[in-house]
Amino acid sequence: MSKYYLNYLDELESEAIYILREVWAQFENPVILFSGGKDSILVTHLAKKAFYPARIPFPLMHVDTGHNFPETIKFRDDLVAELGAQLIVGSVQESIDQGRVAEEKGKNATRNALQITTLLDAIESNKIDCAIGGGRRDEEKARAKERFFSHRDDFGQWDPKNQRPELWNLLNGKHFEGEHFRAFPISNWTEMDVWNYILRENIQIPSLYIAHEREVVWRNDSWIPNSEFLKLEENEEVVTKKIRFRTLGDITITGGIESDADTLEKIVAEVASMKQTERGNRSDDKRSETAMEDRKRQGYF
């Protein structure tokens, strides 16, 4: 890796640390939205660097759909224990049980959109004024509209046309009672940047990102993991493939790709040759042309 590229990663790291420190300076009760995916792991690692030798000053908040990969939950709990951090968990199952949301039915049912209510309830009950996320502008066109400090109204909704300018790295986190912000420290990173930085820093990641054999079903043009939540059609067959996941969500909607990339070095090489976005295997994003933006307007990550 060239000296220039190392300097480029240092610039991205410095920018992200600046955003994290601004969050701590401007807000009273911020949290890191932690999904167990590579981007939230990266944000947590950057927060560790930003406030070292002190502990991370933010709790980690996880919206648990109940349909997570078991590996993701174990990784989350191990990391929280290692960091000595506080963990806040919002449960989608509890939202369903309380009648706050209704579970979808059918073959392609997902709890993805149900997270919105659970997240907003957790933000309100815990009096969160800023939720730090791992969203990046290269992921999806709706996320390309986000600012570093992204305002949410008192209903938790996002209006991409009513965001504040961020000139000369000046960030404005002022808000009225009941409103909150989302902060995105790695907005300017790409998937390639994330993997190069993970490789450089030797950051631990869930085994799901590493190629391994797993039982899967071909659906929606990707390999969906077989699980207790998957309802098989008559023409669908469970097969064993060596796959890995480029992005992690619910086990019911996260598609894998066939891969032999079983080391970080091989993942970096594989990502460099990819032509499809990493969210191309997420069935929740295939529901409509504006699926992500519609969810974000309602309060999604």
Side-chain angles (χ1 to χ4, degrees):
M1 200 177 297
S2 69
K3 182 178 179 181
Y4 167 78
Y5 200 79
L6 287 174
N7 288 338
Y8 171 60
L9 290 177
D10 288 339
E11 288 289 334
L12 288 173
E13 177 189 77
S14 178
E15 179 183 67
I17 287 175
Y18 169 75
I19 302 300
L20 288 164
R21 288 173 176 168
E22 279 294 301
V23 169
W24 183 241
Q26 295 195 38
F27 296 97
E28 294 183 3
N29 194 24
V31 297
I32 293 176
L33 292 176
F34 189 84
S35 67
K38 66 183 184 307
D39 298 317
S40 63
I41 293 169
L42 173 60
V43 170
T44 304
H45 176 84
L46 289 165
K48 184 179 176 181
K49 274 197 163 187
F51 300 98
Y52 182 84
R55 290 184 179 181
I56 295 176
F58 315 116
L60 273 56
M61 176 185 283
H62 180 219
V63 177
D64 183 359
T65 65
H67 289 176
N68 298 284
F69 286 90
E71 296 95 327
T72 303
I73 298 300
K74 183 179 186 308
F75 186 93
R76 178 202 72 184
D77 293 342
D78 289 346
L79 182 62
V80 167
E82 176 189 335
L83 295 174
Q86 178 188 356
L87 176 65
I88 300 171
V89 178
S91 170
V92 171
Q93 185 60 55
E94 287 185 8
S95 298
I96 294 171
D97 295 342
Q98 294 167 4
R100 297 279 293 147
V101 294
E103 187 144 27
E104 291 184 1
K105 307 295 182 183
K107 169 186 171 182
N108 294 314
T110 169
R111 290 184 169 185
N112 200 39
L114 308 189
Q115 298 178 78
I116 298 171
T117 298
T118 305
L119 172 62
L120 294 179
D121 285 350
I123 286 173
E124 182 177 3
S125 63
N126 289 280
K127 298 184 176 0
I128 305 303
D129 55 1
C130 183
I132 306 164
R136 307 188 326 269
R137 294 183 179 126
D138 77 315
E139 284 184 275
E140 205 272 344
K141 57 189 176 183
R143 284 188 167 167
K145 300 177 183 180
E146 293 279 18
R147 304 291 173 88
F148 286 122
F149 277 16
S150 185
H151 177 262
R152 299 301 198 265
D153 65 18
D154 52 355
F155 292 102
Q157 296 176 329
W158 172 64
D159 180 1
K161 295 181 180 179
N162 189 30
Q163 297 298 312
R164 299 170 183 178
E166 295 179 343
L167 307 175
W168 306 292
N169 289 328
L170 297 176
L171 304 174
N172 181 1
K174 292 184 178 179
H175 58 283
F176 292 108
E177 182 72 24
E179 298 177 344
H180 74 277
F181 274 77
R182 308 287 170 84
F184 299 101
I186 61 171
S187 288
N188 288 331
W189 297 54
T190 65
E191 183 187 12
M192 195 70 196
D193 298 329
V194 170
W195 282 114
N196 273 311
Y197 189 80
I198 288 173
L199 175 61
R200 189 185 84 169
E201 301 283 304
N202 194 28
I203 300 172
Q204 295 299 307
I205 56 172
S207 60
L208 296 162
Y209 286 111
I210 308 296
H212 60 288
E213 290 192 347
R214 193 180 193 107
E215 289 188 348
V216 290
V217 174
W218 183 252
R219 180 184 291 182
N220 293 329
D221 297 323
S222 61
W223 292 109
I224 302 296
N226 185 31
S227 71
E228 60 182 304
F229 310 112
L230 191 67
K231 299 177 181 178
L232 295 177
E233 299 288 294
E234 288 185 5
N235 62 334
E236 290 181 328
E237 178 186 3
V238 177
V239 297
T240 300
K241 292 282 185 179
K242 189 174 184 181
I243 64 166
R244 76 174 192 86
F245 300 93
R246 293 177 68 190
T247 178
L248 298 185
D250 271 10
I251 197 170
T252 57
I253 60 173
T254 304
I257 59 170
E258 291 189 65
S259 173
D260 290 318
D262 53 6
T263 65
L264 288 178
E265 289 81 3
K266 289 181 180 179
I267 290 175
V268 169
E270 183 178 80
V271 170
S273 66
M274 289 290 185
K275 295 182 179 179
Q276 184 185 46
T277 174
E278 65 194 281
R279 294 189 68 92
N281 289 311
R282 289 283 291 268
S283 59
D284 52 324
D285 289 348
K286 298 178 182 180
R287 293 193 167 193
S288 74
E289 190 69 22
T290 60
M292 171 66 86
E293 182 157 338
D294 292 342
R295 295 197 305 272
K296 287 180 69 62
R297 284 179 181 271
Q298 298 171 49
Y300 188 73
F301 309 144

